[in-house]
């Protein structure tokens, strides 16, 4: 079974190409090879590759920059998804798509489930929600996987930023009033491949909207504390920086961050048997790999 992956140079796309199950072939396109905002390019790529299934890991993810360049965010996150959805629907190819916790307002007190009403507070979340809607309206055989706080060995993310700052500074101030679910790019890729394997085995999936995020929930401050503890234990850092807990108001950003980004992943587990990952175990794996890379 041949699978086409867009956004192959991003965090999740990179892992999708590394973790291909036996018996599957994959072609991955980064934005340089395939601009999903160009419909004719999408048509040509799909017709050339003739995939049995498409995974869209391409997205505009610069949350703060999106506030200043909304046209670009919508071009990728809405129009690009529309192009993929249209081509997939016309050729009867299922489309798996990654979305985000940023579609929610972030003012809840219990974990968000799929039935909760989205209310994005910024351009990034609004553009991703627009992409969800156009996919659901255009391509019947679709699956949307919302995830959150993505980290991994590849690309830019909180873990790698903390490691860099931990080497540069003796003290760091980290936001402690935003709650979410760190989720490794590798665990997202494994979950997506598990869905692909189910589709291959059964010829169908229960399509629709699902959440997939790591467990347990935590704050950015707690996440940073774990990063530094494990990094120091593994020898990635010579010392622990001192961590100062601050409020969101003390760290203003162009885009408003959700105070509550906790996602309930139980539907994916119930329907497809896919368990959310323990982010602390995933974090250890990522830090081990980063350590081995730094020694080579």
């Amino acid at each position: 079974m041949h699978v086409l992956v867009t956004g192959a140079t991003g965090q999740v796309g990179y892992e999708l190409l590394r973790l291909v199950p036996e018996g599957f072939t994959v072609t991955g396109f980064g934005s340089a090879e395939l601009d999903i905002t160009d419909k004719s390019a999408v048509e040509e790529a799909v017709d050339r590759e003739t995939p049995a299934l498409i995974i869209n890991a391409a997205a505009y993810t610069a949350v703060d920059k999106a506030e200043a360049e909304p046209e670009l965010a919508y071009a990728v996150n809405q129009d690009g998804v529309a192009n993929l959805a249209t081509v997939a629907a016309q050729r009867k190819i299922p489309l798996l798509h990654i979305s985000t916790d940023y579609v929610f307002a972030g003012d809840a007190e219990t974990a968000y489930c799929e039935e909760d009403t989205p209310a994005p507070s910024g351009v990034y979340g609004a553009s991703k929600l627009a992409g969800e809607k156009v996919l659901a309206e255009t391509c019947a055989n679709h699956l949307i996987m919302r995830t959150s706080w993505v980290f991994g060995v590849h690309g830019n993310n909180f873990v790698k930023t903390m490691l860099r700052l931990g080497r540069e500074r003796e003290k760091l101030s980290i936001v402690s009033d935003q709650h979410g679910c760190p989720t490794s790019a590798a665990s997202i890729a494994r979950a997506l491949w598990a869905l692909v394997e189910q589709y291959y085995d059964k010829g169908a999936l229960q399509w629709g909207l699902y959440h997939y995020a790591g467990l347990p929930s935590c704050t950015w401050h707690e996440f940073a504390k774990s990063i530094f503890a494990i990094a120091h234990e593994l020898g990635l850092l010579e010392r622990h920086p001192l961590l100062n807990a601050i409020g969101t108001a003390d760290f203003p950003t162009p885009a408003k961050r959700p105070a509550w980004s906790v996602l309930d992943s139980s539907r994916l587990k119930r329907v497809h048997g896919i368990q959310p990952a323990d982010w602390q175990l995933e974090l250890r794996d990522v830090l081990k790999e980063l350590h081995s890379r730094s020694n080579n």
Side-chain angles (χ1 to χ4, degrees), residues 137-185:
E137 292 165 359
T138 307
C139 181
N141 291 355
H142 74 274
L143 188 144
I144 296 163
M145 181 184 284
R146 289 184 185 143
T147 190
S148 67
W149 292 22
V150 182
F151 68 94
V153 296
H154 179 76
N156 299 316
N157 55 66
F158 184 75
V159 171
K160 292 168 84 173
T161 298
M162 287 300 103
L163 290 176
R164 176 176 57 80
L165 293 176
R167 294 187 186 103
E168 295 172 357
R169 304 180 191 176
E170 293 184 0
K171 296 180 181 179
L172 288 173
S173 294
I174 308 292
V175 171
S176 63
D177 58 356
Q178 294 175 20
H179 295 78
C181 300
T183 314
S184 77

Side-chain angles (χ1 to χ4, degrees), residues 88-154:
Q90 289 171 345
R91 289 152 182 77
K92 296 181 170 54
I93 302 169
L95 178 56
L96 308 187
H97 173 70
I98 302 167
S99 194
T100 175
D101 56 300
Y102 274 71
V103 301
F104 293 113
D107 55 1
E109 295 179 354
T110 56
Y112 283 110
C113 63
E114 292 82 357
E115 290 75 27
D116 287 324
T117 303
S121 58
V123 171
Y124 168 67
S127 67
K128 290 293 289 182
L129 181 61
E132 288 186 11
K133 288 179 177 177
V134 75
L135 173 55
E137 292 165 359
T138 307
C139 181
N141 291 355
H142 74 274
L143 188 144
I144 296 163
M145 181 184 284
R146 289 184 185 143
T147 190
S148 67
W149 292 22
V150 182
F151 68 94
V153 296
H154 179 76

Side-chain angles (χ1 to χ4, degrees), residues 268-284:
L268 189 65
K269 180 182 175 182
R270 186 174 67 252
V271 176
H272 293 289
I274 296 172
Q275 299 261 14
D278 181 331
W279 65 260
Q280 295 176 39
L281 297 177
E282 298 285 315
L283 173 61
R284 181 172 290 274

Side-chain angles (χ1 to χ4, degrees), residues 37 60 65-79 123 127:
T37 68
Y60 177 103
K65 284 179 70 178
E67 297 299 311
E69 46 188 33
E71 297 85 359
L72 188 53
Y74 274 91
V76 178
N77 294 342
Q78 176 182 262
D79 303 343
V123 171
S127 67

Side-chain angles (χ1 to χ4, degrees), residues 5-21 26 55 57 98 150-155 157 160 183-193 282 285-287 289-290 293:
V5 173
T6 59
T9 55
Q11 290 194 82
V12 177
Y14 174 83
E15 297 293 349
L16 283 166
L17 268 58
R18 286 215 299 179
L19 298 169
V20 183
V26 63
I55 303 176
I98 302 167
V150 182
F151 68 94
V153 296
H154 179 76
N157 55 66
K160 292 168 84 173
T183 314
S184 77
S187 73
I188 298 167
R190 286 192 292 267
L192 288 166
W193 278 123
E282 298 285 315
D285 288 343
V286 166
L287 292 173
E289 182 169 350
L290 290 172
R293 288 184 179 194

